[in-house]
Structures are given as structure tokens and as C-alpha cells.
Amino acid sequence: MTQKLKTYFNWSSGKDASLALYHLQKDGKYQVDRLLTSINTHHNRVSMHGLRRALLEKQVEAIGLPCTTIELPEETSMEDYNRIMTRTVETLRDQGYAHTAFGDIFLEDLRSYRETQLEPFGIQCSFPLWKRNTRALLEEFLDLGFKAVVVCIKADLLDVSFAGRIIDETFLDNLPANVDPCGEHGEFHTFCFDGPIFKHPVKFTIGEKVYREYRAPKDDEKQEDTASMGFWFCDLLPVDD
């Protein structure tokens, strides 16, 4: 019997990661036994998604896998990010991981960056959703019984009313033509709270909506200030069982 490939999964807490993990778990090649998630330590939330750490913990408990967190400062330069990631990946490699997986779909530069960064550690990358049609992916997500809620949107592309919406066929039909059905360009982010990878649904209530602006990270300290981007976040509050 062929030994499965010991794999950690880069976990965002959203729909694409959930669907990619589902396919990996169905694939007999991989033994996915750890999740890896970036946390903004200043806000104590999942990076970019703005999800509370407490809700992430409930989510990974419902999945049944341990989660390693990458603890990042409030504003992270690429230099700081690469240094922290190097330390984390070295630890994972020393624990026997030679494979990792991502929920990316079609961004070639992002895939190339990930593969280039991990190659020196001898870690191979898998992309279970790669080059799939994004509308078909979201339809498959719903057909499989997954459920997700929108937790973050780019304010220049989507109206604030999209924040806090449950992903369904109506949501898909309401998206503007310039927004990818899976938000692959960062147009929106989600929190997945139920589906076939979960032992039970993750309970939460909808909190307030908050608008925030961020500057794109600098490549180095000498770089001129980068442009700011506006986002609406919908806070989700964990509910105890």
C-alpha cells in the first residue's frame, strides 16, 4: 500500500479553502493532518478576512484538524512576512511535511510566488482547484452542502449590503460583472461554517459592519507610501454550544 503524502493545508477559513480541502481529503494521495493560518496579532483576527480568532478555533475544532497560526504584526512588510514564514516553514519541514496545498484558482503570479518560496525547503505545492471555472466551483460548493457567509468586501467593487450575506445562488446572480464569482482577485472573502468537511456546523451571530482602509505592503522600507484600499468587514460573533 502506497504511503500517503504528509501535507499541511494553507487555511484561510473561507469557501475556496474549504472546497480545496474537501477534494484533498477525497484524494487518496494526501494525508492532510494540519492547517496553517495567518493571524493579525494586533486585532487577534485572521489576516484579510477579519475573522475573530475565537471563531477560527471553533471552526478548526469542527473540522477536526490541528491548526498552526502564523502570528503577524498589524502592519507587515514583505521582509517581515518572509522572515516569519521562513521560521514557520522550517518548523513544519522538520516535523516531516514535504507537501502543502492552497485554494488558489487562477492567479499565475501567486502560484509562482508560493512555489518559488517553498522550493528551497523541499516542499511541493498542490492546487486542487487550479484552472477550474469559478462559477462552476461556487455551484459545486453549494451542491455539496457547504455554507458560507461574506465577511469582507472591497468597497470600490461591492456595495456594503454584500457584507454579511450568505453565499447562495441569489448572491451569485447579484454579483456585478466585474467581480469574479469566487472573488479570486480579492473582491470578497468568506467564512465557511458548514459542509461535508465539518463534524457539525459552526454557530455564530452577525455583528456590526466596519469600514477600514489599509495601505498595500511595501517591498522594502525605502519604497514610497503605497496606495490605500478600502474594505467593509462584517464581524461575526461566536456562539457557545
Side-chain angles (χ1 to χ4, degrees):
M1 184 175 179
T2 304
Q3 185 175 4
K4 293 186 177 182
L5 304 174
K6 186 175 174 65
T7 305
Y8 69 89
F9 187 86
N10 294 269
W11 183 250
S12 68
S13 75
K15 58 178 178 46
D16 300 335
S18 299
L19 186 58
L21 179 58
Y22 168 83
H23 283 291
L24 280 175
Q25 290 178 331
K26 291 291 183 182
D27 190 327
K29 238 168 64 170
Y30 300 94
Q31 176 192 324
V32 184
D33 56 16
R34 181 164 297 276
L35 305 178
L36 180 67
T37 304
S38 296
I39 295 287
N40 182 311
T41 54
H42 178 80
H43 297 289
N44 210 27
R45 294 173 183 261
V46 175
S47 299
M48 286 306 301
H49 288 222
L51 182 76
R52 292 171 182 249
R53 187 194 295 262
L55 202 46
L56 170 70
E57 291 172 348
K58 286 183 175 294
Q59 183 190 48
V60 298
E61 184 277 328
I63 294 171
L65 292 176
C67 182
T68 293
T69 58
I70 305 165
E71 305 289 327
L72 299 172
E74 181 178 15
E75 295 186 8
T76 309
S77 67
M78 286 306 298
E79 181 182 2
D80 289 338
Y81 177 81
N82 288 333
R83 183 176 62 255
I84 295 169
M85 278 299 299
T86 294
R87 187 167 62 244
T88 303
V89 172
E90 285 176 340
T91 298
L92 290 167
R93 179 199 59 195
D94 294 345
Q95 292 172 351
Y97 292 95
H99 294 267
T100 188
F102 298 86
D104 302 318
I105 305 171
F106 60 69
L107 297 179
E108 298 279 2
D109 56 343
L110 184 56
R111 174 171 179 157
S112 177
Y113 171 79
R114 298 196 195 287
E115 291 174 331
T116 300
Q117 292 297 108
L118 290 170
E119 184 179 11
F121 301 96
I123 294 179
Q124 298 182 32
C125 301
S126 175
F127 299 84
L129 308 184
W130 191 247
K131 294 298 184 180
R132 296 270 312 271
N133 176 277
T134 49
R135 185 180 181 95
L137 279 175
L138 195 55
E139 290 172 345
E140 179 189 17
F141 178 86
L142 296 173
D143 289 344
L144 286 168
F146 280 106
K147 296 179 182 179
V149 57
V150 179
V151 292
C152 173
I153 61 167
K154 284 193 74 175
D156 62 332
L157 294 175
L158 290 170
D159 182 84
V160 63
S161 64
F162 279 90
R165 282 186 61 172
I166 299 294
I167 299 286
D168 55 17
E169 288 290 348
T170 302
F171 172 87
L172 189 54
D173 292 338
N174 290 162
L175 285 178
N178 62 335
V179 173
D180 180 76
C182 283
E184 179 68 349
H185 294 288
E187 300 99 323
F188 63 92
H189 298 290
T190 60
F191 169 67
C192 187
F193 59 90
D194 198 8
I197 64 172
F198 293 88
K199 295 181 293 184
H200 54 79
V202 184
K203 298 179 182 179
F204 65 91
T205 58
I206 299 288
E208 65 177 337
K209 297 179 183 181
V210 178
Y211 177 79
R212 297 189 183 279
E213 289 192 358
Y214 299 92
R215 292 197 174 276
K218 299 179 181 181
D219 291 330
D220 59 63
E221 295 302 323
K222 296 179 181 179
Q223 183 179 346
E224 296 287 335
D225 285 343
T226 52
S228 61
M229 301 175 290
F231 297 87
W232 279 101
F233 292 90
C234 179
D235 194 17
L236 302 182
L237 308 174
V239 174
D240 292 330
D241 294 328

